[in-house]
Amino acid sequence: FWLTPRASVTESRGGATRRGALHGRGLEPAPACARSMEAVAADPEPVSTSTWMAVAAALAVPMFLLVLNGPAFWFKAKFSVHRVFGLTFLLQYSAAWYIFLTDYKSYAASAFPYTMSGTLLIQVISALYYFRFLPKIDAETSDPGMYSDKGVLPYDWVKENLFFALSITWGNIYYHDFGFNMLRSAGYAGLAMEILWVFFQFEAIRPLFPKTHLKNAFIYRSKTTTDSNVAFYNAMTWAGKIFYMMSKHMLGFFLQYARFVNGIDEAQLYWIRWWMLMNIGIHNIGTFVHTLRFKKMINPRLGFSIYLGYWFVSNYAILKLFSVYTSNSFIFLITFTGMLVNFCRNRWIRIAFQGAVAAVLLRQRFFA
């Protein structure tokens, strides 16, 4: 189940016929890539020493968490579902990285992106049930809790995490051949789903969830952070804010725009899937490390460094995807403009901008 390659729609179901039936509506599966998956799998160049080092560090964290807590922690009756699925995620995550690096072709065709996403969603939903005792304070005006050594996560932060878990799940579907081709084969229903998540997830879906603000971490710094750690948390929070903006736009929006117009080939998908593995690790392990900090099981600085370390390393994908940016220079310009528009407080201007981007890229995909 984990490793059996699943042929894409175009490979195993008469791709030429399927493309012909959908041609002209912009709903056809992705065109043949400039470089085949077999070539990517056979070429050892992408798995560089720096990649091995980064992933070794990433794998060290879940292994450290597994050993640190031991069986007694994972199988306690209290929060049982959340604990068991946390363990399930860490085991899957470690296995996924190993298979990604040693047999990329099998990973690319495997169900790992779906099973990890499903596990993540169960963890977040179970957290919403179990952690109702967390402070019920307004996320808009309160400390986010994550960016200090004494802060407590508010319940709204757990609710907010559900949005990011859904967003990661969407990415794992969109960058997986099976999920992508299923969307393209679903006609206008699939196209509507693409438009919603590619262009409007932050304007149509994000407002349904609470929103914490990094700026509040600075406002409440004197109350939530030990004096000796203020400089460290201020510097790291600023770095996190910058890296979040880069990741949201130059990896999140840009790559989805390029995928929408079939502007990504299989070789480039290697690094996008690498980034998605880092991304899901940021979401899951970062929260878990914060819990260990709260329980005083690890040093606050160490816990926060692990969390932001994942975040910083994930942006390495920007360097490795340079060819995607140069081959989609117009989309890069649109994305950079969108990053500036993001600072606009008027939501309707942001919606209008995304609507204009959708119209331009729909035209490019259907009529170019």
Side-chain angles (χ1 to χ4, degrees):
F1 174 78
W2 293 102
L3 300 178
T4 302
R6 285 171 165 75
S8 68
V9 171
T10 56
E11 291 173 337
S12 63
R13 300 182 183 177
T17 302
R18 180 70 58 88
R19 271 193 294 269
L22 296 173
H23 184 67
R25 292 191 289 162
L27 305 174
E28 65 279 358
C33 297
R35 186 182 181 198
S36 69
M37 184 182 293
E38 287 77 6
V40 175
D43 182 6
E45 185 276 329
V47 188
S48 62
T49 302
S50 58
T51 303
W52 273 107
M53 291 175 64
V55 174
L59 288 177
V61 174
M63 290 299 98
F64 166 72
L65 298 177
L66 287 170
V67 174
L68 176 66
N69 291 284
F73 174 86
W74 298 107
F75 298 106
K76 283 183 179 179
K78 189 177 183 181
F79 312 142
S80 57
V81 173
H82 191 72
R83 290 175 189 270
V84 169
F85 277 91
L87 174 62
T88 302
F89 177 85
L90 292 176
L91 293 172
Q92 287 183 87
Y93 190 64
S94 300
W97 269 120
Y98 177 78
I99 295 168
F100 182 92
L101 290 176
T102 59
D103 189 0
Y104 170 72
K105 181 179 178 181
S106 291
Y107 173 83
S110 75
F112 268 116
Y114 305 117
T115 58
M116 285 192 297
S117 296
T119 304
L120 176 63
L121 288 171
I122 292 173
Q123 277 194 279
V124 175
I125 293 170
S126 65
L128 288 170
Y129 174 77
Y130 286 125
F131 303 148
R132 289 169 290 175
F133 58 83
L134 290 173
K136 306 295 194 301
I137 52 182
D138 184 10
E140 290 280 345
T141 58
S142 61
D143 175 62
M146 191 75 173
Y147 306 94
S148 61
D149 60 2
K150 296 189 294 185
V152 178
L153 294 178
Y155 189 64
D156 273 358
W157 194 88
V158 182
K159 292 181 181 178
E160 181 182 32
N161 257 0
L162 181 56
F163 166 76
F164 290 110
L166 290 170
S167 182
I168 290 170
T169 300
W170 164 254
N172 277 332
I173 293 171
Y174 206 48
Y175 299 126
H176 190 276
D177 289 342
F178 181 80
F180 183 70
N181 285 330
M182 286 294 290
L183 280 168
R184 291 297 171 91
S185 300
Y188 293 110
L191 178 61
M193 184 69 72
E194 282 192 82
I195 291 173
L196 173 64
W197 280 97
V198 171
F199 301 102
F200 296 107
Q201 65 170 289
F202 280 92
E203 303 304 335
I205 301 173
R206 183 69 179 91
L208 302 176
F209 299 85
K211 184 178 181 181
T212 56
H213 294 277
L214 285 174
K215 67 180 182 181
N216 290 339
F218 296 103
I219 294 174
Y220 291 91
R221 182 69 73 208
S222 61
K223 297 180 180 179
T224 62
T225 308
T226 305
D227 290 343
S228 60
N229 284 333
V230 167
F232 170 79
Y233 276 95
N234 278 341
M236 294 293 275
T237 302
W238 270 113
K241 188 177 181 69
I242 294 169
F243 274 86
Y244 172 74
M245 290 299 296
M246 291 290 293
S247 181
K248 176 182 176 180
H249 292 275
M250 293 306 164
L251 288 171
F253 276 113
F254 174 84
L255 294 178
Q256 289 190 80
Y257 291 164
R259 182 72 156 162
F260 184 78
V261 297
N262 299 322
I264 299 173
D265 67 26
E266 191 63 45
Q268 294 160 342
L269 276 172
Y270 176 94
W271 285 104
I272 295 173
R273 289 163 181 158
W274 182 95
W275 170 64
M276 287 303 300
L277 271 173
M278 292 297 301
N279 204 17
I280 200 169
I282 293 168
H283 188 283
N284 190 290
I285 295 175
T287 306
F288 189 74
V289 167
H290 176 84
T291 302
L292 295 181
R293 187 277 293 171
F294 181 75
K295 292 178 175 290
K296 302 186 185 303
M297 297 178 71
I298 61 173
N299 180 275
R301 286 197 180 197
L302 173 62
F304 196 58
S305 297
I306 290 173
Y307 171 58
L308 287 188
Y310 269 81
W311 212 341
F312 298 162
V313 172
S314 71
N315 281 264
Y316 176 64
I318 294 177
L319 300 178
K320 302 303 293 187
L321 289 169
F322 185 75
S323 62
V324 185
Y325 298 106
T326 55
S327 61
N328 295 279
S329 55
F330 177 65
I331 294 178
F332 177 84
L333 179 61
I334 289 176
T335 306
F336 183 78
T337 304
M339 186 163 62
L340 300 179
V341 172
N342 183 77
F343 291 101
C344 176
R345 297 294 182 182
N346 190 319
R347 180 188 172 201
W348 293 106
I349 291 178
R350 299 196 304 269
I351 291 174
F353 175 80
Q354 289 298 331
V357 173
V360 169
L361 296 188
L362 278 166
R363 183 178 184 279
Q364 180 176 335
R365 175 168 145 184
F366 279 75
F367 305 110

